[in-house]
Amino acid sequence: MLIILLIGLGGLVYWQFGDQLLDFFTSSTGGTGGIDTKKPVITNVTATAGETNARIDWQTNEPASTQVEYGKTQQNTSLSTLEDDPTGGTSAGVVTHSVTLTGLEPSSTAGNVTYYYRVKSKDKAGNEAVSDWKTFETAVPEA
């Protein structure tokens, strides 16, 4: 709520503006009325796996950080290094994301090795989006 006090002609004039007008003033002047509370939208998540590595790619609708959570189960995971983090001020973030995971266990003729993964992206305001869990299988080494 915005309250303006005007003093003139020896009297006190009290003016009160509603929230709607306040939102107009703050958003049109760059004030705090336009605080970003929306998470980035994650799309086009794909995995391309080799024998001991996998590349995870995705896109966001706004500049955001790049990170992948992965493991052989959803309960026992690792996090890739956080990259392109716009919350620290050292990066503006990116909209096209790519992470290469290394040191993975290769599949074998005795059975495939499945990895679970999900991607994470955080915008400048700190709103974090997390994709659904997906899977990929590593390749069998060529003989």
Side-chain angles (χ1 to χ4, degrees), residues 68-86:
V68 176
E69 181 178 4
Y70 66 100
K72 290 185 189 177
T73 67
Q74 294 176 16
Q75 295 75 30
N76 187 17
T77 61
S78 298
L79 282 173
S80 66
T81 303
L82 178 64
E83 299 175 17
D84 310 310
D85 185 9

Side-chain angles (χ1 to χ4, degrees), residues 79-104:
L79 282 173
S80 66
T81 303
L82 178 64
E83 299 175 17
D84 310 310
D85 185 9
T87 62
T90 58
S91 173
V94 295
V95 294
T96 301
H97 307 265
S98 185
V99 171
T100 300
L101 307 174
T102 59
L104 305 177

Side-chain angles (χ1 to χ4, degrees), residues 7-134:
I7 302 176
L9 302 174
L12 181 64
V13 179
Y14 171 80
W15 237 353
Q16 181 175 349
F17 294 93
D19 291 336
Q20 197 170 28
L21 191 53
L22 175 61
D23 288 343
F24 170 77
F25 283 127
T26 56
S27 64
S28 65
T29 60
T32 59
I35 294 174
D36 180 4
T37 59
K38 294 184 180 178
K39 299 175 184 178
V41 176
I42 295 172
T43 57
N44 302 324
V45 180
T46 61
T48 307
E51 295 173 10
T52 60
N53 59 32
R55 191 177 89 203
I56 313 297
D57 298 298
W58 72 98
Q59 295 175 338
T60 52
N61 67 327
E62 65 178 310
S65 63
T66 302
Q67 193 169 39
V68 176
E69 181 178 4
Y70 66 100
K72 290 185 189 177
T73 67
Q74 294 176 16
Q75 295 75 30
N76 187 17
T77 61
S78 298
L79 282 173
S80 66
T81 303
L82 178 64
E83 299 175 17
D84 310 310
D85 185 9
T87 62
T90 58
S91 173
V94 295
V95 294
T96 301
H97 307 265
S98 185
V99 171
T100 300
L101 307 174
T102 59
L104 305 177
E105 181 182 333
S107 291
S108 69
T109 55
N112 294 331
V113 176
T114 300
Y115 280 88
Y116 293 85
Y117 74 98
R118 62 183 180 178
V119 301
K120 297 182 174 195
S121 288
K122 190 183 325 179
D123 67 13
K124 185 171 180 72
N127 304 308
E128 184 177 57
V130 181
S131 73
D132 292 333
W133 285 103
K134 298 182 176 291

